[in-house]
Amino acid sequence: MANEALALSGIDAYYGDSHVLHDVTWSLGEARLLGLLGRNGAGKTTCMNVTMGVARPRRGAVTLFGQNIAGRAPEDIAARGIALVPQGRRVFRSLSVHENLLVAARKPEAGGKHAPWGFQTVYAAFPRLKERRHHLAGHLSGGEQQMLAIGRALMANPRVLLMDEPSEGLAPRIVAEVMATIRRLKEQGLSIVLVEQNAKLVFDIADDIVILNSGQVAVAGTAAGLRDSGIDLHQYLGIY
Amino acid sequence: MAPLRAITPGVSMWTILAINSVTFGGLLFLLSAGFSLIFGLMRVPNLTHGSMFMLGGYIGSTAIVTWHLPFWLAAALAAAAVAVFGGVVERLLLRRLAGSVLAQVLVTLGIAFMVSDFCLMVWGGDPISIDTPSALSGGTRTLGVYFPTYRIAIILIAVVIAALLWALLERTRLGAMIRAGVDDPEMARVVGIRVSRLFTVVFCLGAALAGFGGIMGAPILSVYPGLDFAMLPLALVVVILGGTGSLIGSLVGSIVIGFIYNFGLVLLPQLAYFILFLPMVVVLVLRPQGLFGRAAP
Ligand SMILES: Nc1ncnc2c1ncn2[C@@H]1O[C@H](COP(=O)(O)OP(=O)(O)OP(=O)(O)O)[C@@H](O)[C@H]1O
Ligand SMILES: [Mg+2]
């Protein structure tokens, strides 16, 4: 692909002896949204961990804007313009909302496309966070913590954003809010990987789809193409 | 008039004892604040902390007596040298033992014994005493009580350092990053925080404070073989009493232990250590997280 933001190619990853990712290859185009789907334990979070340097792949390359980052330390990878909204949100519970944003703040690269993210813009996007900025993150509701996890990732002014099941455990109204936020970020030109178990949510906004099954890429294609192809996706996605 | 005369020396003895207690508490704070931060933030039980105190005392005294450096320059040098020692121990040894408390206890205890031997070899067995810095010698007499300037200065310095440490941890970005690294080290790295480097900074800072405490205490306690293992249990008691990772706990714990230690030595010398460790045992049983510590989640 000509304008590739992030690509995993031929990734094999293990936890100890258990082989979790088998020759996984997928790529995210610039300013596109890739939906990464799959059942519990399919290997979605492991893909995120490998990309961020939290897990080391045994084989394969992770390419971010043309440079191989596989095997680098997470803090070095973070410095190259990629941020993660992790599964389970993982806000820093004993820090205030404001401090959670503060520790993740990073200057945008020169020549960024849209106005850089900072306290003002994040608080404007999530007014609820501004109201609660002196509260401890651990005391926020699930929805607020999700907003904070997204805000924290944006503070780094990333060019690629990874979101690992941002709708997990949230009420439908909050899920709709989160999805609207993601849509907005996409319109601003951010390249996004959205990990989900809920296929319907993803097909609504994704450009491309990758479905993992038992650590292997089972299906890959554009969202529109897959929708029209009539392939039965249910076999890979459990109940959805 | 006779009864008044009889009472006055008694009152001033109590006051002197009280001043000495708070002073000793100030030294204990310099010693235990670092111990508490290192244990509270990094979960490393650093049993070389008494050695760092003693090393600071020896290095600073040598700088004053042998090299004729001014007191405050010598104190800064002692703190810096001990910080380097702490950094080397942390980077080369403790870093490799992350997560294994038993190994950390054994290694730091081993290093403490090695430092003891090393100091005995270099500085010999005689206590080294140094003068108080000339600007702080003497004292003032107010309301019939004599306040020695140097001891009052130690108290003020301890309070100022407590305030600075608090501000560093709670009011700066660096402090927030350190706390984020404690909360969730992996996630902290993912947002770009160099957790490993920050933990080395915390370790060096704790070491520097202990070294500084050692030279500040030298004019009062002198420096002698065995000072390390005389101070280490006091740091443990303070931190258990105050709660690990809590600065205010270290400060209050230090002053409480300063009082118990000094008054115990005078009133019940045979039971001084019993009285010293009793509050620790009581706190451990009734409130294991310490007076100011947070309960483990
Ligand atoms: N830290 C770990 N140690 C050992 N095995 C692990 C670890 N983390 C995940 N696994 C295993 O690796 C496989 C892939 O897990 P992964 O977390 O990537 O799945 P996932 O697709 O994100 O699932 P979910 O939808 O439940 O989040 C699973 O079989 C899981 O049990
Ligand atoms: Mg997952």
Side-chain angles (χ1 to χ4, degrees):
Chain A
M1 199 180 293
N3 293 315
E4 197 170 71
L6 171 70
L8 272 61
S9 38
I11 293 287
D12 277 279
Y14 293 72
Y15 288 111
D17 284 338
S18 84
H19 194 169
V20 176
L21 295 183
H22 303 261
D23 194 20
V24 166
T25 298
W26 51 256
S27 68
L28 166 71
E30 239 176 286
R32 288 179 80 85
L33 193 151
L34 174 84
L36 185 59
L37 294 162
R39 287 199 183 112
N40 276 326
K44 307 179 295 296
T45 298
T46 306
C47 285
M48 302 296 103
N49 289 344
V50 163
T51 307
M52 292 310 299
V54 173
R56 245 164 221 260
R58 205 171 283 184
R59 260 183 303 282
V62 180
T63 320
L64 184 65
F65 299 110
Q67 285 180 308
N68 189 5
I69 55 168
R72 288 189 177 275
E75 50 268 41
D76 294 330
I77 293 174
R80 287 163 183 253
I82 183 165
L84 170 70
V85 178
Q87 185 164 18
R89 311 184 261 276
R90 290 174 73 173
V91 295
F92 301 116
R93 303 179 64 83
S94 69
L95 271 60
S96 70
V97 168
H98 197 77
E99 287 172 334
N100 266 272
L101 299 178
L102 177 67
V103 298
R106 190 184 289 280
K107 282 205 187 73
E109 283 173 40
K113 286 199 197 82
H114 62 89
W117 291 99
F119 287 108
Q120 275 192 353
T121 36
V122 168
Y123 283 143
F126 306 108
R128 192 82 184 119
L129 292 184
K130 186 172 188 185
E131 283 167 34
R132 316 208 92 204
R133 67 185 178 280
H134 297 304
H135 291 237
L136 289 186
H139 293 171
L140 301 182
S141 71
E144 289 165 346
Q145 287 190 0
Q146 191 61 63
M147 298 298 172
L148 181 55
I150 297 173
R152 178 179 65 182
L154 293 176
M155 287 298 284
N157 282 294
R159 293 202 282 161
V160 174
L161 183 63
L162 310 177
M163 308 181 92
D164 197 347
E165 304 205 30
S167 70
E168 196 182 25
L170 299 183
R173 189 176 52 80
I174 313 285
V175 172
E177 233 175 275
V178 170
M179 297 315 278
T181 304
I182 296 172
R183 207 179 289 273
R184 251 196 340 264
L185 295 173
K186 186 190 164 200
E187 280 159 13
Q188 290 176 346
L190 210 53
S191 316
I192 300 174
V193 176
L194 175 60
V195 170
E196 265 301 336
Q197 291 202 37
N198 184 338
K200 203 186 146 321
L201 283 179
V202 175
F203 271 90
D204 282 348
I205 61 169
D207 301 304
D208 306 291
I209 297 284
V210 167
I211 301 180
L212 287 178
N213 191 25
S214 306
Q216 285 173 306
V217 175
V219 177
T222 62
L226 287 177
R227 217 183 281 119
D228 299 339
S229 69
I231 302 176
D232 180 22
L233 301 175
H234 292 264
Q235 55 177 316
Y236 306 117
L237 297 175
I239 55 166
Y240 294 107
Chain B
M1 280 317 281
L4 195 63
R5 212 173 263 253
I7 288 167
T8 310
V11 169
S12 80
M13 188 197 85
W14 292 121
T15 334
I16 288 169
L17 208 46
I19 293 174
N20 288 352
S21 301
V22 183
T23 305
F24 194 57
L27 290 177
L28 285 181
F29 174 76
L30 294 178
L31 173 72
S32 61
F35 186 87
S36 172
L37 286 181
I38 290 168
F39 189 72
L41 298 181
M42 299 155 65
R43 299 271 129 216
V44 174
N46 175 32
L47 300 187
T48 65
H49 226 75
S51 319
M52 291 169 167
F53 186 89
M54 183 172 74
L55 271 177
Y58 273 129
I59 295 171
S61 306
T62 303
I64 292 167
V65 175
T66 312
W67 307 335
H68 305 292
L69 291 185
F71 184 90
W72 295 109
L73 190 58
L77 183 75
V82 176
V84 170
F85 167 75
V88 169
V89 168
E90 200 273 337
R91 278 271 133 175
L92 294 188
L93 292 168
L94 294 178
R95 181 51 51 98
R96 290 158 207 263
L97 306 173
S100 167
V101 174
L102 182 62
Q104 290 168 342
V105 164
L106 293 176
V107 163
T108 53
L109 195 59
I111 295 171
F113 284 123
M114 287 164 66
V115 169
S116 282
D117 264 6
F118 173 79
C119 290
L120 194 59
M121 187 181 79
V122 173
W123 284 285
D126 294 330
I128 298 179
S129 301
I130 56 169
D131 294 331
T132 52
S134 50
L136 298 177
S137 60
T140 41
R141 184 171 289 282
T142 314
L143 303 172
V145 180
Y146 182 72
F147 291 93
T149 311
Y150 186 65
R151 289 176 183 260
I152 303 301
I154 287 183
I155 297 166
L156 293 179
I157 287 172
V159 170
V160 167
I161 286 184
L164 287 177
L165 280 179
W166 177 85
L168 172 72
L169 276 175
E170 300 295 328
R171 285 289 175 271
T172 68
R173 180 164 191 242
L174 184 73
M177 286 171 147
I178 292 170
R179 285 178 287 129
V182 174
D183 252 16
D184 186 339
E186 189 177 274
M187 195 57 218
R189 296 184 69 192
V190 167
V191 304
I193 299 171
R194 302 196 175 275
V195 175
S196 140
R197 194 184 292 172
L198 286 186
F199 281 5
T200 304
V201 168
V202 170
F203 205 91
C204 290
L205 184 65
L209 284 174
F212 182 66
I215 183 61
M216 289 304 291
I220 297 172
L221 307 170
S222 78
V223 195
Y224 54 90
L227 178 63
D228 46 357
F229 287 101
M231 296 311 280
L232 180 62
L234 295 176
L236 290 172
V237 181
V238 165
V239 169
I240 288 170
L241 195 64
T244 55
S246 159
L247 280 170
I248 187 77
S250 291
L251 191 58
V252 173
S254 296
I255 290 171
V256 169
I257 294 301
F259 269 90
I260 294 176
Y261 185 73
N262 278 282
F263 277 76
L265 273 183
V266 170
L267 299 178
L268 292 165
Q270 318 88 322
L271 293 178
Y273 266 81
F274 182 82
I275 295 175
L276 192 58
F277 284 95
L278 192 63
M280 180 181 99
V281 173
V282 172
V283 165
L284 271 182
V285 171
L286 296 181
R287 203 179 146 78
Q289 71 270 36
L291 296 178
F292 293 87
R294 270 174 296 180

